[in-house]
Structures are given as structure tokens and as C-alpha cells.
Amino acid sequence: MLIDSHCHLDFPNFADDIDAVMERARAAGVGAMLTIGTTLAKAPQVIGVAERFPNVWCSVGIHPHEAAAEADVQAQTLIEMSRHPKVIAIGETGLDYFYEHAPRAAQEVNFRAHIQAARVTGLPIIIHTRDADEDTEKILVEEMGKGAFPGLIHCFTSGPKLARTVLDLGLSISFSGIITFKTAAQLREIAATVPDDRILVETDSPYLAPIPHRGRRNEPAFVADTARVVAEVRGVGPAVLAQQTTENFRRLFTKADFSALAA
């Protein structure tokens, strides 16, 4: 079984055919999904999708793009929202200096509040970082010094230095369909070196469809194509990679109730 560790099933892109999307995921061997919160205002919709399907869980958080629109978030707010049984993670949060839809200072405040919520709840923090390696590393090192917290860098596209720091801090790394792109040679080199117990795979759907689906709406079924490339660069078979990443998901997202999947 594969698990799509990061998707956005509440987005309008899936409104018309969500049941078909779920069926295609099942047919592709994708047994579970984590749908990700990007704003607190839309958290009810994210939770609603997770409540509808036994093999879907969710997170609550504020994407760095939304850090100004939903400013002054308090860790306690995230902590309270995370009490829902389907909420198994905090985020996504982090820093995005590529688009900078929100001021950097607001992004940092947002990021640190999410880290505090992850530290208190023990739920993993889902970190988005783009063109912000230096500040992401600084914040993670500083915050880990205040007290440990679990988490991962999702859709990893950074360099080897941040990868080493993240792994040294005890965090995990998730790879998206970007790893299948011809231009992603360095990313494939990094994926080959991540420890077996610290790697996950995702789609980030509806974005970043992997080869051979480029130009199409991405969906959880396509995580199988990403996993195939990750397995290849790591020198293992797809079944081994699927087992490792599923075990890693279960180890990291300990609140996820897998008993419902067997029912």
C-alpha cells in the first residue's frame, strides 16, 4: 500500500469527481491520504473531506501565502482545532520567498506558532519551504533548541545542506512529482541518500503532476508514479519503497487510526 502524505482534496479542482478520484487512488494501490489545511477559515471543509472517507486524514494550519491574511495566529488556536479525531498534523506552514505573497516577518511568526502547536500536541508539523533554505534552517534549529517536535519538509526541493540539517534534527523528508522531472537531477541524488526510516512520498495534488501526467490535474493515484522513480534512484523495488514509506507515515503520524481501513 502507498500513502499520499500530502494532497488538497478540499480544493475546487476535485469538487465534481471526488468519488472517482478516490476510486482511481484505490485502483493504483494508494490506500490512504492526508489532505492538508492551508487556511483556518477553510478548516471545516478540510475536516469535512476527512470525515467523509475512512482512509483520509487531515491537518490544520495556515500556508505561508496566507500568513498576512490570517495574521496573529495563536498556537492555542491550532492546538484546540487539532483535537478533532481526524486531524493528525499541524500545517502546512513555513516560508515561501519565491512568491512572497505575505511579508517575511508575518511568515516567520506564523511558522513559529505552528511549531509551538506541534511541540505541545506532539503532532507532526508539515513544513513548506521555497527559496528560503537559510531562514528555514535557522528557525528549525532555534525552535528545536527550545524543545523537540516531530515533522517533515513536504515537497522537498531544497539543497543538500538543508536536507542534512532536517535529518540531523530528526525530521523527515517527503518527495513529490517534481522528482520525476528531467531538471530534478540534484533532487534525485538527495532522495537516494535519505535514510530508509525518514522518507515519504506525496502528490501535492492538484498541483505538480508527475511524468507521465504533466499538464494534467494531479491526483492521489499519481503518487505511484512518484514512488516508482524514488524507488529506482534508491535501488529498491516499488513494493519495498511502498512498505517503507507506509511504515514511515504510520510512525510519524501516530494519531492516524488505521483500524478503520481494515473494517
Side-chain angles (χ1 to χ4, degrees):
M1 179 178 77
L2 283 165
I3 296 178
D4 183 355
S5 66
H6 193 112
C7 55
H8 297 280
L9 297 177
D10 69 302
F11 280 18
N13 312 66
F14 296 114
D16 294 334
D17 65 342
I18 186 66
D19 290 316
V21 166
M22 299 300 289
E23 177 56 30
R24 285 192 292 272
R26 186 202 62 77
V30 182
M33 288 143 262
L34 178 55
T35 189
I36 306 298
T38 57
T39 72
L40 297 189
K42 295 182 179 178
Q45 291 95 304
V46 179
I47 294 172
V49 173
E51 288 177 327
R52 181 175 171 185
F53 300 101
N55 62 337
V56 176
W57 299 283
C58 67
S59 69
V60 290
I62 303 171
H63 192 286
H65 290 343
E66 308 294 336
E70 293 191 350
D72 302 320
V73 61
Q74 301 297 310
Q76 188 59 38
T77 301
L78 296 164
I79 292 167
E80 291 171 1
M81 295 181 74
S82 73
R83 293 183 178 131
H84 190 284
K86 276 286 191 169
V87 176
I88 65 169
I90 303 294
E92 63 185 287
T93 183
L95 305 175
D96 193 311
Y97 294 172
F98 182 80
Y99 287 111
E100 292 201 272
H101 290 325
R104 294 185 180 187
Q107 293 186 45
E108 179 175 343
V109 169
N110 177 61
F111 192 7
R112 291 184 187 273
H114 284 68
I115 291 173
Q116 174 64 7
R119 185 184 292 118
V120 170
T121 62
L123 298 180
I125 185 170
I126 298 167
I127 301 164
H128 170 113
T129 180
R130 188 171 184 188
D131 285 8
D133 284 17
E134 185 175 339
D135 283 354
T136 297
E137 180 176 0
K138 176 179 72 73
I139 290 170
L140 289 175
V141 170
E142 288 178 359
E143 290 292 338
M144 196 65 76
K146 300 174 185 177
F149 55 90
L152 78 158
I153 303 286
H154 102 90
C155 189
F156 190 88
T157 55
S158 297
K161 185 174 184 293
L162 183 59
R164 286 193 298 271
T165 298
V166 165
L167 294 170
D168 288 346
L169 292 174
L171 304 176
S172 297
I173 293 177
S174 179
F175 294 96
S176 71
I178 292 174
I179 202 170
T180 70
F181 299 176
K182 291 181 180 180
T183 55
Q186 179 180 261
L187 199 56
R188 288 188 285 274
E189 292 175 1
I190 293 172
T193 67
V194 176
D196 290 347
D197 63 347
R198 225 76 83 62
I199 190 167
L200 294 99
V201 288
E202 64 175 86
T203 58
D204 202 11
S205 55
Y207 311 115
L208 304 176
I211 292 171
H213 307 289
R214 294 296 291 142
R216 296 175 56 188
R217 177 195 67 180
N218 200 5
E219 59 181 71
F222 298 166
V223 77
D225 298 282
T226 296
R228 193 173 301 114
V229 171
V230 173
E232 180 180 329
V233 301
R234 292 172 67 81
V236 300
V240 171
L241 194 281
Q243 180 178 359
Q244 290 174 343
T245 54
T246 294
E247 290 176 353
N248 293 343
F249 183 96
R250 297 185 70 155
R251 188 182 304 112
L252 181 60
F253 298 99
T254 56
K255 188 179 172 183
D257 181 8
F258 278 79
S259 64
L261 275 63

